[in-house]
Amino acid sequence: MMRSLGGLLIVSPFTKQVLNFRPSSKSHYFRTPALWNVKRHVQTRGDARSAPYPKRSHMCGELTPAHAGIHVTLTGWLLPERKVSKTMSFFPIKDSSGITQLVVRKGHANTHLTALSELPVESTIAIEGQVLVRPELSRRDEGTGQIEVQVNNFTLLNPAHRNMPFIPSDNQTLVNEDLRARFRYLDLRRTALADNIRKRSQVARIIRDTLHDDGFLEVETPLLLKSTPEGAREFLVPSRVGQSTAQHDGKHTPLFYALPQSPQQPKQLLICSGAVDKYFQIAKCFRDEDGRKDRQPEFTQIDLEMAFVSWGVDSDIFSSNSWRIGGHEVRAVIERLVRRIWQKVQEITLPSSFRVITYNEAMARYGSDKPDTRIDLEIQDITPSLPIHAQASFEDLGDILEVIILRPSESCSFLRASEECDHKNEPNVSRSVIADSNLLNWLCDNRSIDLKLSSEEHALLNKTLGVSSGDTVWLSRRRKIPEGGSTALGRLRTRISELAQARGDYVPHTIPHFLWVTEFPLFTRADPDKEFLACGRWSSTHHPFTAPMWQDIEAMYAGRIDQVRGQHYDLVLNGVEIGGGSVRVHDAAMQEYIFSQVLQLSDAEKSSFDHLLHALKCGAPPHGGIALGFDRLMAILCNTSTIRDVIAFPKTGAGTDLLFRSPAAINEEVLYQYGVRTRC
């Protein structure tokens, strides 16, 4: 560059080269831009071209041998040069569609092309040239590997800074995540991230097309709503609207909107209105939660709601039907949608219906309400196999004894991980390595279990369980009725699997394992994320609008709250919950009872739902829906462990935005205008 400093004109080496360059008479496009207006101390123009330039004829990624011989104009980012000789170089040029190899011959007739070698990497250029088929030995099958473009002329559109924070095209050096987040616009230039963003757009199109074909209407719902006690912490937005009339105890009170945790109430009201029979939206949602690799303060969900969904199954077929709740229609729509996504994006044909298990079965066999059923380790309840006196001691306390047994003949992939697994954070878990010396007393020797068995009883237990020398037995005592999202052995099962994968001993199946989990407890006291609102009261496992199973309605009205199951369904893929939904309460009296008698909401808390209760009284149909986590779904489709890789501008794990530097402090005068601060 050049600049004026105290009357002295300073010219950078790069600018000197451009100023001294004289274009070929064959090219009228490459002209020296007016780089700077030489006024003292005032910089008005840079090295970027601000004038007409050649119009792009093709994208870099679309050229094939069929284009051989034609003249093309490509635009994109210049990648590092690879010199073949003094007079010949290869330059890759990249745009959002792919990469094309450029051939630059620097003979006497092409002296103007030598300037390409002086351009900084990642500069944007336009090139003109002819498409050639590569020599046979140089051809590659992937991308544009069959062709190359011989450059005749080029136009510099904007030179990149020579000292960029990092070079996106450098695949050998991946800088730390915070630096990439700070310069996300450079990070997105990396092929892997750009491919993820394109795939996300493709999937969004499939979702819209599929749901439109199924008769759904896409309806936008408000982002500025009122704060309600639905379960998660909300983001609040101060407002000047209504400030003049907002008073409490004679004092002006600041007013706030709340950003929606989900469009739950608006979508139910849409169905109650009768104007929409099937609603969907790819919706932005907001929750003020701690960041994790699969969680962001703002996230996107595929949101659905349907009128006249079923309310359970007839008692005559109850025992033989694995899906024993309502919402069959929602299940059918989602399975059809997911099958189409996997077919079009992954070219995988999924089964016509997905496996269904209850919450109790998931917790008993896998120790998780979102189990990864690819892991070939299952939990066993061995309480029924114990001697009668031992069974009685567990039953009196409402406990059971569970084990995971690893046998060298069956679980070799997990043996080394099991040996290394640290279980200090699980005080109710113990490990017994079976040998000849403890074969008849391994359970008695376990101090955390505190059982007395004779040698004969031990031998019978070994026979029943198939335990022999060389096996490893993990044991845990827990409450018979499961609570929360996982058990101690369930967490251990996951940890062993992760260690085995890290060691390379275990490779999960590539076939996706989809699973519906149903019949969750309708209410819970075991969700720490909701305790800040519940304050010791019952809270809704899903949300307060979820309907009970019709078989458990009497138990709910009788006060046996812990026995009530909900018509709630979660869709799980490979141990990740990708969606959850339910049949809703459409009886206003039942909804009022849940608010008042079960959740024990105060009058102020209940008033947030007055409009919904009134809508239910106005002939609301039976209805239900679901929301799929779009970000989590895309992370799985893109084979990445973090949703930040599939969001264009994500937050960090701590919920901050290093690019836009948010959240940020606001000055006192602005806070005063919103009523959040008072003037001193």
Side-chain angles (χ1 to χ4, degrees):
M1 72 176 72
M2 64 183 179
R3 55 197 173 100
S4 177
L5 184 61
L8 177 65
L9 185 67
I10 302 175
V11 184
S12 71
F14 174 69
T15 306
K16 279 183 180 179
Q17 179 190 344
V18 177
L19 292 174
N20 293 333
F21 170 68
R22 294 293 179 267
S24 164
S25 59
K26 295 181 180 180
S27 173
H28 61 280
Y29 289 111
F30 192 93
R31 307 188 190 281
T32 304
L35 298 173
W36 298 88
N37 186 336
V38 189
K39 292 182 179 179
R40 293 183 63 178
H41 308 298
V42 181
Q43 175 181 322
T44 59
R45 293 192 184 180
D47 293 325
R49 181 178 182 82
S50 300
Y53 62 90
K55 181 181 179 180
R56 177 172 62 189
S57 64
H58 296 78
M59 298 292 285
C60 293
E62 69 175 287
L63 298 178
T64 69
H67 296 97
I70 70 170
H71 186 84
V72 297
T73 301
L74 304 178
T75 56
W77 285 262
L78 189 67
L79 302 188
E81 176 183 15
R82 180 163 62 90
K83 291 186 178 181
V84 179
S85 65
K86 291 183 178 179
T87 59
M88 181 177 174
S89 292
F90 293 132
F91 290 87
I93 185 173
K94 176 186 178 180
D95 64 14
S96 64
S97 69
I99 298 176
T100 292
Q101 178 172 280
L102 305 178
V103 181
V104 177
R105 302 181 189 279
K106 305 173 186 176
H108 178 72
N110 299 319
T111 54
H112 62 289
L113 297 181
T114 57
L116 268 174
S117 297
E118 302 301 323
L119 296 182
V121 173
E122 301 286 345
S123 296
T124 48
I125 62 171
I127 69 97
E128 301 168 86
Q130 187 177 27
V131 180
L132 305 176
V133 177
R134 291 191 189 185
E136 188 171 354
L137 294 179
S138 301
R139 295 175 197 167
R140 302 192 317 273
D141 292 332
E142 65 273 10
T144 56
Q146 300 282 325
I147 59 91
E148 57 195 15
V149 174
Q150 182 167 294
V151 179
N152 299 326
N153 297 299
F154 79 94
T155 304
L156 173 64
L157 303 180
N158 199 357
H161 197 288
R162 291 190 182 276
N163 295 311
M164 290 198 301
F166 60 92
I167 304 299
S169 57
D170 183 358
N171 296 323
Q172 305 302 315
T173 306
L174 188 61
V175 298
N176 72 72
E177 189 170 354
D178 282 354
L179 187 62
R180 288 188 287 122
R182 184 180 170 193
F183 299 97
R184 184 66 170 183
Y185 45 87
L186 291 179
D187 200 28
L188 283 169
R189 206 175 290 176
R190 292 192 296 121
T191 300
L193 286 188
D195 287 348
N196 291 350
I197 300 303
R198 276 193 295 276
K199 185 177 286 188
R200 184 181 178 112
S201 176
Q202 177 192 3
V203 174
R205 175 67 182 270
I206 294 169
I207 291 165
R208 286 191 164 94
D209 289 347
T210 302
L211 294 177
H212 278 302
D213 290 346
D214 273 349
F216 282 79
L217 295 183
E218 185 171 8
V219 182
E220 296 177 352
T221 54
L223 288 180
L224 295 175
L225 293 170
K226 183 181 179 182
S227 178
T228 58
E230 292 183 35
R233 285 186 175 90
E234 298 167 315
F235 282 101
L236 301 178
V237 181
S239 172
R240 295 185 299 110
V241 176
Q243 284 291 341
S244 60
T245 58
Q247 290 195 2
H248 180 73
D249 294 335
K251 298 180 180 179
H252 285 285
T253 302
L255 299 179
F256 295 86
Y257 294 108
L259 298 179
Q261 303 172 35
S262 76
Q264 187 60 46
Q265 291 189 63
K267 70 177 180 179
Q268 285 191 240
L269 293 170
L270 272 174
I271 300 301
C272 291
S273 74
V276 178
D277 186 71
K278 298 176 181 178
Y279 143 94
F280 90 94
Q281 180 183 189
I282 299 179
K284 272 291 184 185
C285 305
F286 307 86
R287 291 181 186 173
D288 189 4
E289 299 177 317
D290 295 334
R292 300 177 190 170
K293 66 180 180 181
D294 63 347
R295 186 179 289 180
Q296 289 266 289
E298 55 180 331
F299 56 97
T300 307
Q301 66 184 34
I302 307 160
D303 203 51
L304 283 77
E305 197 78 9
M306 301 172 67
F308 299 104
V309 302
S310 57
W311 240 74
V313 295
D314 193 277
S315 57
D316 293 337
I317 60 172
F318 182 89
S319 60
S320 61
N321 194 327
S322 58
W323 184 281
R324 305 185 297 191
I325 58 176
H328 301 271
E329 301 81 0
V330 178
R331 175 190 179 187
V333 167
I334 291 301
E335 289 183 347
R336 187 159 55 247
L337 174 62
V338 170
R339 283 199 303 272
R340 184 170 294 186
I341 291 171
W342 253 256
Q343 182 64 57
K344 288 183 174 291
V345 177
Q346 304 290 77
E347 297 184 347
I348 293 175
T349 301
L350 297 176
S352 58
S353 62
F354 302 156
R355 180 184 170 195
V356 180
I357 64 173
T358 66
Y359 167 82
N360 282 340
E361 182 183 354
M363 296 292 279
R365 295 178 61 182
Y366 307 109
S368 172
D369 64 355
K370 49 179 183 293
D372 188 344
T373 53
R374 298 172 302 170
I375 305 171
D376 193 20
L377 292 174
E378 285 201 21
I379 300 168
Q380 296 175 252
D381 175 9
I382 67 168
T383 315
S385 301
L386 297 175
I388 299 297
H389 66 88
Q391 290 183 40
S393 68
F394 280 91
E395 290 173 3
D396 290 344
L397 296 173
D399 290 351
I400 59 173
L401 182 60
E402 293 184 320
V403 299
I404 294 177
I405 303 175
L406 288 88
R407 300 180 176 89
S409 59
E410 300 174 2
S411 309
C412 56
S413 299
F414 302 105
L415 288 178
R416 289 199 298 175
S418 175
E419 292 174 6
E420 297 173 2
C421 189
D422 182 1
H423 59 285
K424 293 177 182 177
N425 293 330
E426 300 291 353
N428 294 326
V429 172
S430 58
R431 173 173 52 194
S432 294
V433 179
I434 311 302
D436 291 340
S437 58
N438 68 347
L439 186 59
L440 296 180
N441 59 12
W442 58 270
L443 188 53
C444 292
D445 286 350
N446 193 304
R447 296 178 181 177
S448 62
I449 305 300
D450 192 25
L451 278 180
K452 302 298 181 184
L453 273 67
S454 66
S455 297
E456 293 76 13
E457 289 171 334
H458 245 119
L460 181 59
L461 179 63
N462 290 343
K463 182 178 180 181
T464 304
L465 301 180
V467 170
S468 59
S469 182
D471 294 346
T472 299
V473 180
W474 290 92
L475 301 100
S476 177
R477 181 175 191 149
R478 72 163 174 88
R479 302 294 294 171
K480 184 175 183 179
I481 299 175
E483 290 183 322
S486 62
T487 66
L489 283 189
R491 293 187 289 273
L492 179 85
R493 175 178 178 268
T494 301
R495 198 171 303 129
I496 290 174
S497 167
E498 291 171 347
L499 285 171
Q501 281 185 257
R503 294 187 59 92
D505 294 343
Y506 165 64
V507 179
H509 300 298
T510 56
I511 299 174
H513 279 220
F514 283 94
L515 176 73
W516 289 105
V517 181
T518 63
E519 301 183 29
F520 288 81
L522 186 56
F523 306 105
T524 182
R525 283 194 170 112
D527 189 342
D529 289 340
K530 297 178 180 178
E531 180 56 30
F532 79 99
L533 276 175
C535 299
R537 300 172 293 181
W538 287 103
S539 61
S540 298
T541 303
H542 188 214
H543 56 55
F545 318 116
T546 300
M549 291 181 66
W550 65 268
Q551 298 88 346
D552 296 344
I553 291 176
E554 291 305 318
M556 183 180 72
Y557 284 125
R560 301 193 300 274
I561 305 303
D562 60 337
Q563 298 177 18
V564 182
R565 296 163 296 171
Q567 297 195 63
H568 169 191
Y569 33 82
D570 277 358
L571 182 60
V572 177
L573 170 57
N574 299 343
V576 177
E577 178 196 334
I578 61 171
S582 66
V583 176
R584 322 301 188 191
V585 176
H586 65 284
D587 180 339
M590 180 184 291
Q591 186 69 79
E592 169 69 28
Y593 180 86
I594 290 173
F595 286 158
S596 301
Q597 303 303 315
V598 180
L599 302 178
Q600 299 177 356
L601 300 183
S602 67
D603 289 342
E605 289 172 323
K606 282 191 296 182
S607 67
S608 302
F609 306 112
D610 284 347
H611 51 282
L612 178 61
L613 288 170
H614 187 263
L616 297 181
K617 294 175 183 176
C618 295
H623 57 286
I626 194 170
L628 300 183
F630 192 29
D631 305 313
R632 292 182 185 180
L633 186 70
M634 289 310 308
I636 292 170
L637 288 168
C638 295
N639 195 30
T640 177
S641 61
T642 171
I643 62 173
R644 289 191 283 279
D645 284 347
V646 297
I647 301 172
F649 296 102
K651 302 294 186 287
T652 66
T656 59
D657 191 320
L658 300 182
L659 172 60
F660 297 104
R661 292 179 289 183
S662 64
I666 300 295
N667 70 55
E668 293 289 329
E669 178 61 28
V670 174
L671 294 177
Y672 166 75
Q673 294 171 17
Y674 284 96
V676 179
R677 288 279 192 276
T678 57
R679 284 202 173 108
C680 298

